[in-house]
Amino acid sequence: MSYNRFVELQKSVLLSFTVFIKEVLLGTCTGIAYVDSTPLRVCKHQRILIHKTFKGIAQRGKCSMGWFFCFKQHLIINDKGEILNFMFTPGNVDDREPLYSESFIENVKGKLCGDKGYIGKQLFEFLFMNGIQLVTKVKNDMRDSLLSVADKIMLRKRALVESVNDELKNIAQIEHSRHRSFANFITNALSAIAAYCFFPKKPSISLAFVADNQLTLF
C-alpha cells in the first residue's frame, strides 16, 4: 500500500478509532488528577497571514511562550500518567471552557490540580457540584485563600502533566506543520494519543498518605 493510499484510508476509520481510544485506552481516575492545555501550532509565526489549510478553523492564541496560530489540546491525566480525557479546541478558547463540559470531566472525581489559568469562582462551584475539587495556586490578591499541606504538595507535582505533553509532542509527534486537511490533523492527533497510551513507561508520581492529612510524593 502506498503512503498516499494509507493517508486516504485513515479518514475512513476516524470515528471507530475515536471510540476505541475513549472506551479502551483511557486510564481510570485514582482521586488525583492534573489538567493542562498546550498549543498545537499549525504553522510558523511568519506564515500566519498566508496559511490556508486551517483558515477559519485554527485561531491565534497566547500562552506563556507567546502568541501562536494553533489549536489547543486540553488534557486530564491521573497520578500514573494515564490520560483520563482530552479535547481539541481553537487556540483562542479559554483554558477553563472545556471543564464546563460534563463529557470532558465524566471520568474525573476527587482533586483536580491546575495552574493559575483555571482560577475562577464559577468554575470551582460547577466542578464541586460534580464531585470535583479544583486545586490551583493563588494569585497575589488571594492570599487569604488557604491550601492544605497535601494540596500544596500535589501542586508542586503539576509538572507531571507537562511531561506528558512533552512526550506527546517530542516522541509521539502530535504537533507538526505538514497537515494538508483538518481530518489529517485530527487523525494524527488521535494516533499520537493512542501511541502514548501504549507506552510501557509513563511519567508518574508515587503517593503515600501519612497522618494529619498530609501527603508525601516520591
Side-chain angles (χ1 to χ4, degrees):
M1 183 184 299
S2 68
Y3 176 76
N4 290 338
R5 181 57 178 162
F6 177 78
V7 172
E8 290 176 1
L9 292 176
Q10 280 183 322
K11 302 175 185 178
S12 63
V13 298
L14 188 57
L15 179 59
S16 55
F17 189 37
T18 304
V19 174
F20 173 71
I21 294 174
K22 291 281 188 177
E23 298 296 329
V24 178
L25 298 185
L26 297 184
T28 56
C29 185
T30 60
I32 297 177
Y34 292 87
V35 61
D36 195 21
S37 68
T38 186
L40 300 179
R41 293 168 291 184
V42 297
C43 70
K44 294 183 178 180
H45 188 72
Q46 298 87 341
R47 296 179 57 86
I48 291 178
L49 297 179
I50 60 175
H51 185 82
K52 296 181 180 180
T53 303
F54 297 109
K55 185 177 181 180
I57 305 176
Q59 299 293 334
R60 293 195 186 202
K62 187 178 182 181
C63 68
S64 58
M65 300 297 291
W67 288 92
F68 299 103
F69 186 66
C70 63
F71 294 98
K72 269 187 180 180
Q73 173 190 264
H74 304 268
L75 202 66
I76 299 179
I77 67 169
N78 60 18
D79 57 279
K80 299 177 182 178
E82 299 172 338
I83 297 176
L84 300 181
N85 217 336
F86 59 90
M87 182 182 291
F88 301 104
T89 64
N92 61 350
V93 172
D94 191 289
D95 289 349
R96 294 168 289 190
E97 194 64 29
L99 292 178
Y100 286 106
S101 172
E102 294 186 358
S103 61
F104 185 54
I105 60 173
E106 62 182 354
N107 296 326
V108 182
K109 295 295 179 184
K111 295 182 182 290
L112 178 64
C113 302
D115 58 22
K116 292 182 179 180
Y118 293 93
I119 294 176
K121 181 179 179 181
Q122 184 178 355
L123 177 61
F124 179 89
E125 293 175 350
F126 174 81
L127 293 176
F128 189 79
M129 293 298 293
N130 285 274
I132 302 171
Q133 180 186 350
L134 181 63
V135 181
T136 64
K137 289 185 177 180
V138 297
K139 294 183 179 179
N140 293 332
D141 58 350
M142 299 171 59
R143 291 305 178 187
D144 292 336
S145 301
L146 298 179
L147 289 175
S148 67
V149 175
D151 291 345
K152 289 180 179 179
I153 295 176
M154 285 191 297
L155 284 174
R156 291 174 188 169
K157 297 298 181 178
R158 202 186 58 80
L160 176 67
V161 68
E162 296 175 357
S163 298
V164 174
N165 282 327
D166 181 71
E167 291 199 3
L168 284 171
K169 286 186 175 183
N170 296 315
I171 299 179
Q173 297 183 355
I174 197 172
E175 178 187 53
H176 66 76
S177 58
R178 302 183 300 277
H179 300 297
R180 293 297 173 263
S181 68
F182 180 73
N184 181 261
F185 163 78
I186 291 295
T187 303
N188 177 78
L190 293 176
S191 300
I193 289 175
Y196 172 83
C197 291
F198 281 108
F199 284 0
K201 186 176 181 180
K202 302 179 177 65
S204 63
I205 54 179
S206 179
L207 304 178
F209 288 91
V210 296
D212 300 326
N213 194 30
Q214 294 184 4
L215 180 68
T216 303
L217 293 86
F218 303 96

